[in-house]
Amino acid sequence: MIRIDRRPQLFSFRVAGLIFRDGYILAQRGAKDDYWALPGGRAEIGESSEETVLREMREELHREARIERLVWTVENFFTYEGYAAHELGFYYLLSLDGAFPFHETDIVHRVVDGVEVEFRWLRATPETLTENRLKPQFIAGRIDRLPASAEHLIVREGLPLLAVKETVS
């Protein structure tokens, strides 16, 4: 998987899917985490972002997915467990083949992928996604106005991560 750990810096290449149903969006979290994310995972070397998102849906949701379109490419800079993290993310609008469990408030699916991961549907509103700490944070502010064509974003969540030394000659 594409993850470079050079403490205190971390780089990863993550691909995720936006899966909607009846005004809700599917979210995942590690069972011990206090935040949610969109379903997906890290790309592997030699794997396209499209291949990654389809593989992740098979592995985690046990469903085949169809890519509708690319929504965002994101360069996201944030802090995470003492790291100055830099994540390159691809976010695809997806549809799932076959029925997938739905409930407005309960966990609908669990899988063990190194750690236990749980899935639930969150109302696809800025307020609900913010209250439930969906990461990356930019998604909450854009969930009700997805771009008509792919959009590239550079996002810096929180404080500046790296001190820049100015050289004077």
Side-chain angles (χ1 to χ4, degrees), residues 50-51 53-54 65-70 92-95:
E50 290 179 340
E51 291 167 330
V53 76
L54 296 175
R66 284 185 315 282
I67 296 172
E68 302 297 332
R69 65 184 176 89
L70 178 64
Y92 287 94
L93 181 61
L94 302 177
S95 55

Side-chain angles (χ1 to χ4, degrees), residues 16 41 45 51 58 84 90 104 140 152 164:
I45 294 174
E51 291 167 330
R58 278 191 302 276
F90 285 72
E104 292 179 351
H152 179 78
V164 178

